[in-house]
Amino acid sequence: MASWATSFPSSFLPTRDGGRTQVLSSRWRHLWGSSPLHLGLGAHGHSSIPAGDISRILSAHPGPARRFSVPEDCFDYRDMPDATTLDSWFRSPALDGLQELEFHHASHPYLPPPSLPASVHRFSSTLRVASFGGFCFLYGDGGGLHLPVLEQLSLTDVIISERSLGVLLAACPVLQSLLIDGGIGCSSVEIVSPTLRSIGISSGIGLQRLIIKDAPWLERLLLDSIGSKEITVSVISAPKLHALGPLSAHNIRLEFGTTIFQAHLSLDAVIESMKCFPCLEKLYIEVTVFLN
């Protein structure tokens, strides 16, 4: 068996190790096919996986699956499975009831990113964790996804309009965690969510403004911008926000109501900014000292 698949829900042993247990007892040979499938590609040091191996695993396992993970370094763009192969994977009975999906399409240097495969929609009622990378969400509809039980969403190097992102978030009524990593294809993002508790922006290339318009349960806002352009973060309504940072980038501008301050703060600016957090209990300040 391939060593990057996992199929023992109680111990989460790699399939290679699980397969070795057949040496101890022939009665255990059926366990791989009778246990929910956790197919995590690119694990255990594998940087490239033949698409045919994935197809054989999905064909051999009757399902259901709990996790299907294809990270961004799993395929080179020259070896990326074609649309027909991707569609056959997502439609496989082995993936019935899928709860966790991570799929990052390898970017092509000369071609635009593809649209999210329509067959992904069949997981709408079961997905709790989703991570999409290298895809395009078109036509202002957030990809047409409706994810009623989704709790965690990650978008990495995607193309999505501000309107599409708003529609996508509205289609996730119990979403608690949102991560935007890499490019996003729009300059402004407005967050309106009655359930989000954590937002992370990492290297938001092209993103110039993040507006937390209405997030009554938001507790953590984590920012890590390394782009050259200034990014403005405007917090209009987030009454439960208690974790903010790290404010290490020189190009982050924060707005809390009428209070505005930059990431590199003087002592006076720090004291002034504390007025924005009336329930503040801990403040961490890291000082870098340069020695000649």
Side-chain angles (χ1 to χ4, degrees):
M1 293 297 178
S3 63
W4 49 80
T6 324
S7 58
F8 290 81
S10 59
S11 61
F12 293 96
L13 287 174
T15 303
R16 177 182 60 186
D17 298 333
R20 289 172 176 172
T21 62
Q22 298 178 24
V23 177
L24 302 177
S25 174
S26 60
R27 290 179 299 176
W28 292 355
R29 293 177 181 174
H30 70 285
L31 290 179
W32 181 79
S34 61
S35 301
L37 181 64
H38 295 257
L39 187 54
L41 311 181
H44 306 292
H46 291 270
S47 58
S48 179
I49 300 170
D53 285 1
I54 301 172
S55 298
R56 283 190 289 273
I57 292 172
L58 293 176
S59 298
H61 200 285
R66 293 294 179 263
R67 178 173 177 263
F68 184 36
S69 174
V70 182
E72 57 184 337
D73 59 352
C74 187
F75 300 106
D76 185 272
Y77 74 89
R78 290 166 293 189
D79 301 320
M80 192 71 194
D82 57 28
T84 301
T85 301
L86 292 181
D87 187 70
S88 68
W89 290 353
F90 290 139
R91 294 189 185 278
S92 170
L95 297 185
D96 289 350
L98 193 66
Q99 295 183 12
E100 299 183 26
L101 173 60
E102 176 189 8
F103 200 96
H104 290 205
H105 195 284
S107 59
H108 193 287
Y110 304 113
L111 297 176
S115 298
L116 194 68
S119 47
V120 172
H121 292 219
R122 81 181 191 93
F123 308 129
S124 294
S125 62
T126 58
L127 272 185
R128 297 185 179 277
V129 178
S131 178
F132 301 116
F135 287 105
C136 182
F137 295 78
L138 295 173
Y139 311 121
D141 61 357
L145 290 173
H146 179 61
L147 304 167
V149 297
L150 190 72
E151 297 175 356
Q152 300 178 35
L153 174 63
S154 298
L155 301 174
T156 302
D157 291 325
V158 299
I159 300 297
I160 187 169
S161 69
E162 181 180 355
R163 177 187 173 190
S164 294
L165 181 59
V167 172
L168 179 58
L169 294 180
C172 305
V174 297
L175 188 66
Q176 296 188 27
S177 174
L178 172 66
L179 171 64
I180 296 176
D181 187 12
I184 192 173
C186 63
S187 60
S188 180
V189 169
E190 183 177 287
I191 302 295
V192 176
S193 172
T195 58
L196 268 177
R197 294 180 179 270
S198 176
I199 297 175
I201 306 294
S202 177
S203 305
I205 301 172
L207 185 63
Q208 299 178 31
R209 189 171 185 86
L210 172 66
I211 305 171
I212 311 299
K213 186 175 182 179
D214 187 13
W217 291 99
L218 185 65
E219 298 174 351
R220 298 167 58 86
L221 178 57
L222 307 179
L223 308 170
D224 180 18
S225 175
I226 62 174
S228 58
K229 294 183 178 179
E230 182 180 78
I231 176 172
T232 298
V233 179
S234 179
V235 180
I236 298 175
S237 178
K240 293 186 178 296
L241 183 65
H242 67 250
L244 173 66
L247 303 181
S248 58
H250 69 279
N251 57 343
I252 296 180
R253 170 187 171 95
L254 297 175
E255 299 178 353
F256 287 87
T258 59
T259 302
I260 300 173
F261 53 92
Q262 300 291 136
H264 287 292
L265 303 176
S266 64
L267 178 59
D268 290 340
V270 170
I271 295 174
E272 181 66 23
S273 66
M274 291 173 64
K275 297 178 181 179
C276 301
F277 305 95
C279 299
L280 183 68
E281 295 182 355
K282 296 181 180 180
L283 176 64
Y284 296 91
I285 299 177
E286 181 177 325
V287 178
T288 302
V289 178
F290 296 95
L291 300 177
N292 294 328

